[in-house]
Amino acid sequence: MIAILFTVCLVADPGTCRDHKITLLPGVTVIQCLMRAPPQIAKWSEEHPGWHVERWQCGAASREQI
């Protein structure tokens, strides 16, 4: 399975960062993930206003670190 893997940092404390992932449906390819990621990341950002997305990528959902 493919996931959107992203690192977010606190707006108030940029040194505090965490990795998150949004697992996509089975059968989604990396190319499809790259096209779907920006709106998904924007939605996540709207729901978590205290956090800033530092970087993102598409990769295996089984990965623990970005």
Side-chain angles (χ1 to χ4, degrees):
M1 281 180 54
I2 300 293
I4 303 166
L5 310 165
F6 56 106
T7 300
V8 296
C9 299
L10 274 174
V11 172
D13 181 13
T16 301
C17 300
R18 296 194 174 127
D19 292 335
H20 287 276
K21 72 174 105 174
I22 300 171
T23 303
L24 302 175
L25 295 173
V28 172
T29 67
V30 173
I31 299 298
Q32 290 170 327
C33 176
L34 292 170
M35 293 187 301
R36 294 179 185 182
Q40 291 287 332
I41 292 168
K43 180 182 175 192
W44 190 95
S45 294
E46 289 175 7
E47 294 171 355
H48 301 85
W51 295 87
H52 167 73
V53 177
E54 191 68 27
R55 63 183 168 268
W56 67 271
Q57 62 183 297
C58 291
S62 60
R63 283 180 56 184
E64 292 298 320
Q65 294 183 343
I66 297 174

